Amino acid sequence: MMRLGDARWWQITTHWFYARTPSEQRVLGVGALVVVLLLFWQLVWDPVTSTHEQMRLALPVAREQAAQFTAQALGIERLPAPAATGRGSGGRSPQAAIEASAARAALGGDPPRVEAAPGGRVLVRVGPVSFKGLMGWVARLASDEGYRVDALNIIGAGEGRVKVERLLLAPAGTSRAGIERSAGTRAAPGGASEGVR
């Protein structure tokens, strides 16, 4: 809302402008147009185009990383399941066996959070760790402890590191009932599925 002082300022400015000669008015008009165009360039056009260029250059790298993560996650699912379930646990609870296996793997960062899940499964969450180290640890869980991956949700944490939001492990002898499986999807909390992006 315009105040009284603003209206007075506008009147003074317009009076001053119309008191100029027509040639001075043209020069002032062109100067104002140049200032507006320069402000538009500096505040709108240049930031938008430079951000677009940065995103355009980063997109192929992000796509390559996503394809690599997807391929490696699918490779984990294809690991052969051992015949016996939990054979390396030595009578310990599944949580204790997985925590001990993580400690031996020396993943680095915070220790994994391990919780019991329905159906004899175990839910694991791990802070930023090396993706390569994570894949090796998951492979050892299958071969040494007798667990297979039912679901794996990870996000990139930069520099070859990932954060495991959800790693659902099950003894190798249990069925995958209740977990939706189809090409290009992964199981999500609550039984829904998310497209792998």
Side-chain angles (χ1 to χ4, degrees):
M1 183 182 235
M2 190 175 272
R3 296 188 309 267
L4 182 60
D6 294 336
R8 182 161 169 71
W9 177 83
W10 180 254
Q11 287 174 349
I12 291 171
T13 304
T14 55
H15 177 70
W16 176 84
F17 180 77
Y18 288 117
R20 307 292 107 203
T21 65
S23 63
E24 288 176 329
Q25 289 177 2
R26 280 191 297 274
V27 168
L28 289 171
V30 168
L33 180 63
V34 168
V35 168
V36 167
L37 290 174
L38 286 174
L39 284 173
F40 175 78
W41 174 265
Q42 184 69 27
L43 299 175
V44 178
W45 187 259
D46 190 43
V48 167
T49 56
S50 64
T51 301
H52 180 266
E53 182 65 17
Q54 290 171 353
M55 291 172 63
R56 187 184 67 77
L57 294 174
L59 185 60
V61 173
R63 283 186 175 153
E64 182 181 326
Q65 288 176 342
Q68 195 175 37
F69 283 159
T70 302
Q72 291 176 344
L74 291 174
I76 288 174
E77 289 182 355
R78 292 186 190 114
L79 288 173
T85 60
R87 65 175 181 260
S89 65
R92 296 175 289 179
S93 70
Q95 292 89 344
I98 291 170
E99 287 171 350
S101 174
R104 286 191 307 273
L107 295 173
D110 296 334
R113 293 175 304 285
V114 182
E115 306 167 15
R121 291 174 170 83
V122 180
L123 178 63
V124 181
R125 291 182 176 90
V126 184
V129 295
S130 157
F131 186 75
K132 185 177 180 181
L134 175 68
M135 295 301 103
W137 176 56
V138 170
R140 284 188 300 279
L141 280 173
S143 63
D144 298 346
E145 302 294 336
Y147 288 97
R148 70 161 197 280
V149 176
D150 269 358
L152 175 62
N153 294 7
I154 58 176
I155 56 173
E159 299 295 324
R161 297 176 69 78
V162 294
K163 178 181 177 189
V164 179
E165 291 185 330
R166 180 173 177 257
L167 170 59
L168 188 60
L169 300 168
T174 59
S175 71
R176 291 181 183 234
I179 296 180
E180 188 174 324
R181 308 293 298 168
S182 64
T185 63
R186 65 180 176 209
S193 65
E194 302 173 349
V196 176
R197 293 177 185 94

